[in-house]
Amino acid sequence: MASLSLLSSLHHSTSAHLILRSPQPLKPRAFSTSIRAQAVPALTQDGLKKLAADKAVDYVKSGMVLGLGTGSTAAFVVDKIGGLLKSGELKDIIGIPTSKRTEEQARSLGIPLTTLDDHPLLDLAIDGADEVDPGLNLVKGRGGALLREKMVEAASKSFVVVVDESKLVSGLGGSKLAMPVEVVQFCWKYNLVRLQDMFKELGCEAKLRVNADGKPYVTDNFNYIVDLYFETPIKDGLGAGKEIGKLEGVVEHGLFLDMATAVIIAGKTGVEVKSK
């Protein structure tokens, strides 16, 4: 199999199936989208995440069908939505959770829930990301919910991403942290080896994700996750996603390409909103 360094000859048109929907413009309820919205005092990483989450919820309007993301930043979003529903500031919201733990959180806050089967088109999805590149492409799935996240977010008219500035990278894989690939349990090592070989010229190391007890991590969909660690950022994200998706037994990958409508970034100097 050709290494990914040779995939630069692939044109965008050859990977159209990776672009699940074109980002749609959206407006917040009451939030100026100026690039430097406000200065903020020194905050912890959780504080920055909460600040970004609060700004993202400004895009939520009563009557919306919402995709509810998974992870530490998305949890702040779900908490905020639950509080606004309880206070009556938001009404008639229906959520579609991207994981079992988000479902449990939403139910505990009294957020009505539905499924893609009943609502195949969502107004808005809000979620975090593990990496954001200058083109607003993402790595997601370190929380293990990449398949459901991609399904829900691809079905949304708009997709707002909330991150703190530590998630910004010059190229996907640039953090040298995990880029997840969800694989079936059957012969998982076979795919781990193939994935590592695919990216060998990028110094990639592939590892099966395991729990604290050493047993394989199992997703909500009863699959395993192979995490890819790169020494060099991926040169062609579209080509990489296309090649990963060709492997039999691969269910989904954590490259979320050309999907984000806006990315809200909380940093030491303020809140920045980037959009397409």
Side-chain angles (χ1 to χ4, degrees):
M1 179 177 294
S3 67
L4 262 292
S5 62
L6 301 178
L7 289 173
S8 58
S9 61
L10 290 171
H11 299 292
H12 288 0
S13 61
T14 64
S15 53
H17 71 285
L18 290 173
I19 304 174
L20 303 179
R21 59 154 184 81
S22 298
Q24 299 294 314
L26 73 167
K27 295 180 180 179
R29 281 181 296 125
F31 171 48
S32 171
T33 56
S34 60
I35 290 300
R36 290 294 174 186
Q38 65 184 65
V40 298
L43 294 172
T44 64
Q45 188 175 27
D46 276 352
L48 292 173
K49 291 177 180 179
K50 186 177 186 301
L51 186 65
D54 286 349
K55 295 303 180 185
V57 175
D58 285 328
Y59 288 99
V60 179
K61 299 175 183 178
S62 293
M64 279 187 164
V65 179
L66 295 175
L68 305 176
T70 295
S72 57
T73 307
F76 287 122
V77 172
V78 177
D79 276 340
K80 181 76 171 182
I81 292 170
L84 292 174
L85 280 171
K86 185 176 181 180
S87 70
E89 186 171 343
L90 285 176
K91 298 179 180 179
D92 302 320
I93 294 295
I94 302 174
I96 299 180
T98 55
S99 67
K100 291 180 180 178
R101 60 183 178 276
T102 298
E103 179 181 354
E104 291 171 359
Q105 180 192 11
R107 289 193 187 282
S108 73
L109 295 169
I111 301 175
L113 298 179
T114 186
T115 67
L116 281 176
D117 291 335
D118 293 329
H119 289 83
L121 180 63
L122 289 73
D123 297 294
L124 172 66
I126 305 176
D127 204 352
D130 301 308
E131 293 183 2
V132 180
D133 77 2
L136 306 189
N137 296 304
L138 317 170
V139 167
K140 288 177 50 56
R142 289 180 192 151
L146 60 157
L147 174 57
R148 296 191 186 190
E149 286 174 337
K150 189 171 284 188
M151 291 176 68
V152 169
E153 287 147 16
S156 301
K157 295 177 184 177
S158 299
F159 173 30
V160 172
V161 179
V162 286
V163 295
D164 65 86
E165 62 186 357
S166 70
K167 302 301 190 295
L168 303 181
V169 295
S170 59
L172 298 182
S175 68
K176 298 186 179 181
L177 299 175
M179 196 289 280
V181 180
E182 187 163 345
V183 302
V184 297
Q185 294 190 30
F186 176 74
C187 294
W188 61 265
K189 188 174 182 181
Y190 169 69
N191 272 323
L192 182 151
V193 172
R194 291 203 292 174
L195 287 164
Q196 181 163 293
D197 183 65
M198 178 183 292
F199 293 99
K200 62 184 178 182
E201 292 192 12
L202 300 181
C204 175
E205 183 178 8
K207 297 181 179 179
L208 179 69
R209 186 177 297 189
V210 296
N211 296 314
D213 60 5
K215 295 180 180 179
Y217 175 89
V218 179
T219 71
D220 287 348
N221 316 296
F222 306 105
N223 298 311
Y224 287 169
I225 288 180
V226 172
D227 286 319
L228 305 181
Y229 297 85
F230 297 92
E231 284 297 321
T232 304
I234 298 170
K235 298 176 182 178
D236 178 3
L238 288 169
K242 182 179 177 66
E243 292 301 303
I244 293 171
K246 287 180 179 179
L247 298 180
E248 304 83 5
V250 165
V251 179
E252 191 51 84
H253 57 75
L255 297 171
F256 283 54
L257 308 171
D258 199 23
M259 291 180 64
T261 306
V263 177
I264 298 175
I265 306 157
K268 296 179 178 64
T269 59
V271 176
E272 184 176 3
V273 180
K274 293 185 177 182
S275 59
K276 294 186 177 180

